[in-house]
Amino acid sequence: MSFKPRVLFLDAYDSFSNNIIALLERQCNVHVTKVSIDAVITDLEDYLSTFAAIVCGPGPGHPNRPNDVGLFKDVWALTDDNIIPVLGICLGFQSLAYELGASVICLPQPRHGIRTCVTTSSTFIFENIPEVHTVQYHSLHAVLGEDTGTDPKDTRLWKPSLLCPDIQPLAWDFSGQAGMHSKFHKNPHSILMAIKHKDKPYYGVQFHPESICSDPSAQLVVANWWRSASEWLSCKRPIRLLAFDSSGSDRFRPLVRVPNLESGDNSQMTRSGSSASTRSSASSAITSISICETQEHYPKLVSTSLPMRALNIPSICNALDLSKDECIILDSEMRQLPQLGVFSIIGTVLPRTKKIMYSVGAKEAILQQGVKEELIDLDDYEGNIFSFIKTFMRKYKIDTNTDRVFCGGLMGYITYEAGLETIKVPVSAQSSGPDICFAFVECSILIDHKQQTVHVQVLQMEEHDHEADRWVTKTVNILENLSKQKPTPTPDIQSHTLSEAMRRRTLPMESEYKVKIARCQQEIAAGNSYELCLTDQTSVSLGDEISSWDMYVKLRQSNPAPFAAYVRLGPLTLLSTSPERFMNWSRFQKSSNGLENSEPESASTCQFRPIKGTVKKNQARRDGTIHHVTHHEATEILKTQKEQAENLMIVDLIRHDLYGVCRDVCVKSLMVVEEYESVFQLVSVIEGEIYKSTRSLPSTPDEISGIDCLATSLPPGSMTGAPKRKSCQLLREIENEKPRSVYSGVLGYMCVSGKGDFSVIIRSLYKWDSPEPDHSTWKIGAGGAITTLSTEDDEWEEMLTKLQSTYRLFDSN
């Protein structure tokens, strides 16, 4: 058991809140309870009776709008007999200043993801900290109502003003003067960064001490605040410092839960008779689809390995004739990077393959096997599709020590709109196809490009699985014969052939896109977002004489990427050359957690790899010649504040997502430049550890896993901006509520061994099966992150650069 004082964190729906909570728990050794600002608390004074302090967190909006600050106002209204120490951060700071008489107005140039030096009074929570190098995320700033000067030695800066007599200034930012980015030259030369109430134990800081780019001195400020709060409590409210049992931290509860099913009991997994309906007359005679028909010790992995020799992805798929049926091909062959593009997976979809399908807003999921379909009542899974998926995978878990990245399991996609649903952004289901679709792949081919080995593998579901055995034997024979043959060139479909087959196309309009950029910057200036990832889509209508497989083969050659993919699943066809991993997670392995007197644990590592910051490799000069940008030149360009700020905001956002389910989070790599076929990109790597007790066997239904991390991190932060929820709401409006569909969604697998890996669906094109008999419409999405430092011309060019990586499939010019 762990006994600690309690701190209440009021969350204004920010995407950095969990980072602050982790900082509080680490620096102050307290237990933090998070409550949303719009929570209904009928008696706040009674509710606060067991808390030692309150933190009013950051968030979008303005302190003069009640809906933006919610419970903050109730905290400031507490009577003297009920007050406890409070720390306001960013919006919480602005709300405190506003309540004490300050004006809160827009900065001429907002500052988001910008690192500056803050000068302090070296008193109170800044004792012995004359300067703080820290990150700012704010469009608004507090003004005390009179000219306070710009010289740190000016005593007016450090005294209460006539208009705000209860505000004691503690820190200022003077970086608006010499040496600051030219974009900020219009900002005031002194910006208020920290305050305290003259009499009450209320403090506020404008900056973000929890950011990965804030110095330890910023974190020390938080520790000093808690020390000051503890001293005040010792005198005024000593009972509030009494510790309570915090062994079950709120932060590490699973985001998705599964029913506590006994082994072999599928009663909640399937519905039969009158308790379930089917979706077609063909399945009306089917009572249920068994989730797990397996015997003890099954499923079991059976594998045959053979050398690559002349084999490659196109030749294997052509020899097995896979492109004519449903299949999922995760293809790293053309762009292999250490720890990134080492393996490729070919997943086959057979008549016996089980599929899970879900559309946003639905109360049921569909479990399909061949012509059989069954509705799964999600009320049995807390109304959460991911709870059902977690339950499904738990039934098929295999105990193995193999390091093989994929043994079999669910392969498929999650649309952007399905991600929006997880953060409660209203959205409608698309009519074209399911928003979530996974096939439970039993028969697959794993290609190890480093070892030059092909593994033909199958999950045997029972002792005498003859169909699986026949598939392995047939596939091995075909590949062995193919590997001995002389390699044949892959037919190359020509761009002019695709151009001739093009019926019509719709490209983004420059004027309209720039209007949307301006709207994004207006929202940022108003304090409603820090960064907005704006996108648009291109439509290309092609005659059906063009093979989607041939298109993919050409695309993978022209734009090689570590997360390329060809997917034919249900009504969806997806051709992807994504460079970006969304996240992956390892299976649980024994780990030393570094905690004294703790029981043995095993750990699963969750890794995110966001890309933000882009430089086009071939750039046109004014004289018409082409300049080929070098890696060094790209690195210098990507060191600019705009590019660094874009990446930093997403890194801090992902840390927040990880801290929702992980105890330990670290940034393994920050803003490294990577080279791709047509662009240089700025990449960061963030990891979190999920722990479980090795004594908790068998695993409990509420055990946290990588699926929890997946569920809490959608949609990908690199495709939304921050704060995520508010940004997504704004983007829905700015993009005219056009569905992004699979673009901006994720694609990947969840392995029966406990591993998972997903990429972000970008640099891709997709189509849904068309009711038109002679043509189909392909969609290509592209966009970029809009910040206060963006220019309309640069953002338009960046969107075109990303679009061209895929669109040039149709037009080489």
Side-chain angles (χ1 to χ4, degrees), residues 147-208:
D147 182 13
T148 51
T150 60
D151 184 353
K153 296 179 181 179
D154 190 333
T155 56
R156 292 177 299 167
L157 284 170
W158 310 107
K159 293 180 179 179
S161 67
L162 293 176
L163 294 179
C164 303
D166 290 329
I167 293 179
Q168 173 72 56
L170 297 180
W172 296 85
D173 184 343
F174 300 106
S175 58
Q177 302 178 60
M180 191 56 184
H181 190 286
S182 59
K183 277 282 183 178
F184 299 111
H185 70 280
K186 294 181 181 179
N187 279 342
H189 287 174
S190 56
I191 300 174
L192 187 61
M193 284 287 116
I195 60 173
K196 72 175 293 290
H197 191 288
K198 185 168 63 70
D199 301 314
K200 298 178 181 179
Y202 296 168
Y203 286 86
V205 295
Q206 176 65 77
F207 56 84
H208 281 247

Side-chain angles (χ1 to χ4, degrees), residues 254-257 390 661 703-713:
L255 272 294
V256 293
R257 300 172 183 269
K390 192 173 176 181
V661 292
E703 181 180 281
I704 297 175
S705 72
I707 298 176
D708 291 278
C709 199
L710 173 68
T712 193
S713 302

Side-chain angles (χ1 to χ4, degrees), residues 126-155:
F126 294 97
E127 185 178 357
N128 298 320
I129 308 176
E131 291 183 343
V132 179
H133 293 269
T134 187
V135 172
Q136 298 178 36
Y137 290 105
H138 63 112
S139 300
L140 314 175
H141 72 119
V143 178
L144 300 182
E146 58 189 58
D147 182 13
T148 51
T150 60
D151 184 353
K153 296 179 181 179
D154 190 333
T155 56

Side-chain angles (χ1 to χ4, degrees), residues 714-734:
L714 293 168
S718 60
M719 302 305 297
T720 64
K724 184 184 285 187
R725 185 168 182 258
K726 183 64 175 179
S727 295
C728 287
Q729 291 171 339
L730 293 171
L731 287 166
R732 284 276 295 160
E733 182 181 343
I734 294 168

